[in-house]
Amino acid sequence: MSIDWNSTVRQIGPRLYRYFNVPFSPEVADDLTQETLIRLVRKVEAGILDPEKGSLDMFAFGIAYYVKLENMARMRRWNKVEAVLTHEGSNISLQPDAHLEDKERAEYLRKAIAQLSQAQQDVVLLGLDEELTMDQMAAILELPLNTIKSHLRRAKETLAQLLSAQVKELEL
Amino acid sequence: MSDEFDKFRKGLHQALSTSPSELHIDKWTRAVQKEHGSMKRRRFAPLWIQIGAMAAMLVMGIFIGTRVTQDGSSPTVAPLENGNDPYATIERIYAKSE
């Protein structure tokens, strides 16, 4: 079975970018989207993933989940290095350039999502993609469907609290 | 219950929408095409190795099959018996005539 990779990139690329753009900066999200697409090509061409046995976008999000975890671990290591360099009085800044967001509301929401537990974040990030069903999300995260629903419910409640607190802060 | 989650997801989706200028689809497509090309090359390389090996074996077989020793006999053909050797017969005829 041959895959039209151009249309696959057009279809899945923006969805992957949106997934990565919440926890990471736009530059990192861009790199991770490309990395996920390349890994998808490798796995499909090597016959590891058979598109006839499951949807390609589900495979893509399964890969994206691991790419995100890898990058978070890498960032934690970098933060440790940065802490050491800062402690030693170095002027080297390892933080990416601050990205100016036009949409303040989106920025508040991103910050609020970052405060969720890891499991709730995973569910919310996959839930951002409207084309993924709850069953597919459960398969990607290897969790029961009811667990996904309860994580989503708690995430919704926590986000509502966090966002209302932010609104109150702004009003003061 | 499901509708409630769907509304929640839709709200998040709209709030965190990305502008088309942020999406580097051409760059991703180029990277994917490059990887796809290199994967195809990697997959077909063993086939060329197989064809090369078969051709080498064929050439070797032809060489061994047509090889002759210095005295003219083929190492791949059983030696002739003395009684059937045409050279020995000719030598005997010459010896008689002399």
Side-chain angles (χ1 to χ4, degrees), chain A residues 5-6 9 13 17-18 22 30 34 37 41-42 45 103 106 109 127-130 132 134 149 156, chain B residues 4-5 8-10 12-13 15-18 22-24 27-29 31-33 35-36 39 43:
Chain A
W5 287 109
N6 289 357
V9 170
Y17 180 83
R18 198 179 305 121
V22 176
D30 181 33
Q34 186 169 311
L37 288 167
V41 172
R42 279 184 200 151
E45 292 298 319
K103 296 175 184 173
L109 192 50
L128 275 174
D129 196 279
E130 290 177 280
L132 282 182
M134 292 265 198
K149 285 180 179 175
K156 188 184 165 190
Chain B
E4 187 193 345
F5 287 136
F8 173 54
R9 290 171 65 179
K10 200 169 184 175
L12 283 175
H13 184 92
L16 298 169
S17 62
T18 49
E22 287 181 74
L23 305 172
H24 301 129
K27 181 177 146 255
W28 302 333
T29 306
V32 162
Q33 289 293 359
E35 187 62 28
H36 185 227
M39 284 298 292
R43 191 174 48 184

Side-chain angles (χ1 to χ4, degrees), chain A residues 64-100:
Chain A
Y65 174 62
Y66 283 99
V67 168
K68 189 198 75 161
L69 292 181
E70 282 172 18
N71 203 62
M72 281 185 155
R74 199 180 305 137
M75 278 173 74
R76 277 196 288 275
R77 284 198 296 274
W78 271 108
N79 287 342
K80 281 181 189 170
V81 173
E82 191 192 25
V84 170
L85 290 172
T86 311
H87 183 69
E88 290 171 357
S90 168
N91 290 325
I92 301 168
S93 171
L94 299 175
Q95 288 286 349
D97 292 337
H99 179 73
L100 296 173

